[in-house]
């Protein structure tokens, strides 16, 4: 039997999610549905998908935060956001959170399926890597590659570095890194400790301190 591409649909409107799940299954996808943000994030972190469709206005965990946390934990499959908000600022927020595409409700199913096909063409490999100056971050294996040298990372080190590398021009506050890369119970000092360990492994230039604001990706 031919393998069907796996798609995660995170949508709290049961009628809409049921309709979309059936239509997407007819398009050849193996569809899994999550009805809230927490369940959607759990599935994104524990299962492999070729593409995700995420509603922005979710209960429990907002769609933007879901995408940002998934990216921080190494999830690289393409994401399309669904939303009732069509303003430019809302679209920019969705793309900055880590989504590749944005579709405003109401929409035509033909446009949704065409956008999903385009996403999959642009992202044939969901593992991928991110540049770190002269090095690169191997997302699939959670390590830094420097020529022939491979530097393994802990889960927390990877989460912080992945967040920084995913948006290299952004200055992340400690609170932002804490919310995307750590458990809520962790103290802000945990971020500083993790950055310290990254610098010991990769050099002081790997993560840059922006005094009074937070951290950003360094020169590597």
């Amino acid at each position: 039997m031919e393998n069907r591409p796996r798609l995660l649909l995170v949508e709290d409107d049961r009628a809409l999610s049921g309709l979309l799940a059936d239509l997407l299954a007819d398009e050849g996808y193996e569809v899994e549905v999550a009805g809230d943000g927490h369940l959607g994030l759990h599935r994104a972190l524990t299962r492999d998908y070729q593409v995700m469709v995420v509603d922005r206005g979710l209960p429990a965990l907002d769609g933007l935060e879901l995408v940002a946390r998934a990216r921080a934990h190494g999830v690289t499959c393409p994401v399309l956001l669904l939303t009732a908000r069509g303003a430019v600022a809302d679209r920019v927020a969705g793309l900055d959170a880590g989504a590749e595409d944005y579709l405003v409700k109401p929409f035509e199913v033909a446009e949704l399926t065409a956008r999903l096909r385009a996403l999959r063409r642009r992202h044939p490999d969901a593992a991928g890597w991110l540049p770190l100056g002269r090095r690169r971050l191997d997302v699939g294996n959670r390590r830094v590659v420097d020529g022939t040298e491979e530097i393994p990372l802990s889960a927390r080190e990877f989460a912080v570095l992945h967040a920084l590398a995913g948006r290299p021009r952004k200055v992340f506050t400690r609170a932002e890194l804490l919310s995307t890369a750590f458990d809520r119970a962790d103290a802000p000092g945990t971020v500083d400790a993790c950055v310290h360990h990254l610098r010991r492994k990769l050099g002081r230039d790997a993560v840059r301190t922006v005094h009074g604001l937070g951290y950003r990706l360094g020169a590597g």
Side-chain angles (χ1 to χ4, degrees):
M1 180 179 177
E2 182 181 358
N3 290 329
R4 292 155 61 93
R6 298 185 66 194
L7 180 149
L8 175 62
L9 173 63
V10 190
E11 170 62 65
D12 63 308
D13 183 327
R14 290 188 177 183
L16 178 58
S17 66
L19 175 64
L20 289 178
D22 289 342
L23 291 170
L24 292 170
D26 289 341
E27 285 287 319
Y29 292 96
E30 179 184 338
V31 182
E32 294 188 12
V33 178
D36 64 63
H38 281 318
L39 180 57
L41 179 61
H42 173 73
R43 289 190 175 173
L45 296 180
T46 58
R47 304 180 187 182
D48 292 325
Y49 298 98
Q50 277 66 58
V51 66
M52 293 167 53
V53 177
V54 179
D55 182 41
R56 176 167 179 171
L58 293 168
L61 185 69
D62 178 78
L64 293 187
E65 189 173 358
L66 185 161
V67 174
R69 290 191 187 185
R71 291 291 186 240
H73 283 80
V75 177
T76 59
C77 78
V79 175
L80 185 148
L81 272 177
L82 300 178
T83 182
R85 305 175 184 180
V88 172
D90 294 315
R91 296 179 187 225
V92 169
L95 297 173
D96 280 347
E100 282 79 9
D101 205 353
Y102 200 98
L103 190 58
V104 179
K105 298 176 180 179
F107 54 83
E108 296 292 334
V109 173
E111 182 178 4
L112 170 63
T113 55
R115 286 176 180 265
L116 291 175
R117 288 193 296 272
L119 282 179
R120 293 185 58 224
R121 285 195 300 270
R122 295 200 298 269
H123 298 267
D125 181 5
W129 55 273
L130 292 170
L132 300 171
R134 70 180 187 278
R135 304 176 175 124
R136 63 179 182 174
L137 179 63
D138 182 346
V139 175
N141 294 296
R142 299 191 178 186
R143 63 188 178 183
V144 171
V145 177
D146 185 358
T148 58
E149 183 183 7
E150 297 177 355
I151 306 167
L153 302 175
S154 71
R156 288 183 170 183
E157 290 166 353
F158 172 81
V160 169
L161 192 59
H162 187 269
L164 298 175
R167 299 171 66 184
R169 299 181 187 178
K170 175 178 170 59
V171 177
F172 286 83
T173 65
R174 289 173 177 81
E176 286 175 324
L177 289 173
L178 193 67
S179 67
T180 58
F182 299 95
D183 295 329
R184 293 182 177 181
D186 288 317
T190 307
V191 174
D192 299 326
C194 188
V195 168
H196 172 72
H197 290 305
L198 281 171
R199 286 171 171 164
R200 289 187 62 183
K201 286 186 175 182
L202 306 175
R204 289 198 58 81
D205 291 339
V207 179
R208 176 183 166 192
T209 299
V210 181
H211 293 289
L213 295 175
Y215 297 108
R216 63 172 294 179
L217 189 68

